[in-house]
Amino acid sequence: MADTVHSLVARLHDLLVTHVSDGTSDIVPGLHDVVARSSALGPDGAWIAAAAHANLSGTALVQGRADRAISHLEAAVAAGYNDCVALHAGPALPLHHAPRFQALYRRMRITEDDLDELYWLHQEMRIAVRDARDATVDNVGRLDTGVSPLPQAPLPTREPHTQGVLATRVDLAALQSALQRAALKAEFQRSSGITSLDLIDGSWDRPRAALDAWHADALDTRRQRAAEARAFVERPSAGSSLLGPCPPLGSLTYPA
């Protein structure tokens, strides 16, 4: 079957979910495969190759291979990568003093609206991790057998001015998927454990379970509303579609 943008995005998404779910998995060969196959699609697949190169860069950076990390970033930028916000996150900060990195950063271009979305995407990554951690704590000791998925903010559907933004959308989508799978797995294990214990000794406290279910439903509703309220909204601003250089290196603060 011939590769399509959709099939390669799905492949990239699955690789990133695997990486988030199991940090020991080696997804480097898969990312190289995505680069090769998306490059064959021409301009339509350029941003997918850029996304794969950016993730290869991150892997090299974690391994302490700064030169290789910069080489992958150069390839990513050449293919349209422009996530200047990600390049102000902790792991990338040591590269800021490298002339090669400084040169490739100066080549990146973005619009105001796209920069706003990048900030939102990275902020949502932080919120998603925090919410998943909080949900794990909140569900400890629940006696009901209900299962609570993680409410997550919807991904932006606006047409970006630069396709590099699409790469960061995939990063967020993969993180959301990995967190959701982990949460549901833990919830099903908790629920089945309660059922199994009741079958063994009949000790299930049904009144307490009903109260826990009520509290869980109320909390799920509040979380869902909060997630929906976080949806990205473009701010009206003159010149938002004008393409220009990314903010100067070191001038951005990664979302807290």
Side-chain angles (χ1 to χ4, degrees), residues 73-159:
L73 274 178
E74 287 172 336
V77 171
Y81 182 77
N82 61 353
D83 192 346
C84 47
V85 178
L87 297 182
H88 283 79
L93 296 181
L95 299 179
H96 286 203
H97 302 292
R100 281 179 64 197
F101 180 84
Q102 295 170 0
L104 73 87
Y105 186 88
R106 287 193 295 269
R107 294 200 299 271
M108 294 166 60
R109 296 292 183 268
I110 199 163
T111 66
E112 287 182 18
D113 281 354
D114 286 355
L115 183 58
D116 283 349
E117 182 179 331
L118 287 176
Y119 266 113
W120 182 90
L121 291 166
H122 285 282
Q123 181 69 58
E124 194 57 35
M125 291 180 199
R126 302 297 293 267
I127 292 173
V129 173
R130 182 202 67 195
D131 284 357
R133 182 177 60 244
D134 291 348
T136 298
V137 173
D138 291 338
N139 289 332
V140 171
R142 276 177 57 182
L143 292 184
D144 66 294
T145 57
V147 172
S148 295
L150 289 176
Q152 295 170 326
L155 289 172
T157 57
R158 59 179 282 270
E159 185 70 27

Side-chain angles (χ1 to χ4, degrees), residues 210-234:
L211 184 61
D212 285 354
W214 184 85
H215 283 299
D217 287 344
L219 185 56
D220 288 348
T221 298
R222 290 198 299 271
R223 284 179 173 153
Q224 182 61 46
R225 289 173 178 170
E228 292 170 354
R230 292 198 310 268
F232 178 72
V233 178
E234 293 182 78

Side-chain angles (χ1 to χ4, degrees), residues 110-114 116 161 235-244:
I110 199 163
T111 66
E112 287 182 18
D113 281 354
D114 286 355
D116 283 349
H161 301 293
R235 58 185 175 91
S237 56
S240 62
S241 63
L242 297 178
L243 193 65

Side-chain angles (χ1 to χ4, degrees), residues 152-194:
Q152 295 170 326
L155 289 172
T157 57
R158 59 179 282 270
E159 185 70 27
H161 301 293
T162 56
Q163 285 198 314
V165 176
L166 300 176
T168 309
R169 287 186 190 175
V170 176
D171 288 340
L172 173 57
L175 176 63
Q176 289 180 329
S177 294
L179 293 173
Q180 189 70 270
R181 290 181 188 181
L184 289 175
K185 179 179 179 180
E187 282 287 83
F188 280 120
Q189 289 175 337
R190 177 187 60 78
S191 179
S192 63
I194 292 171

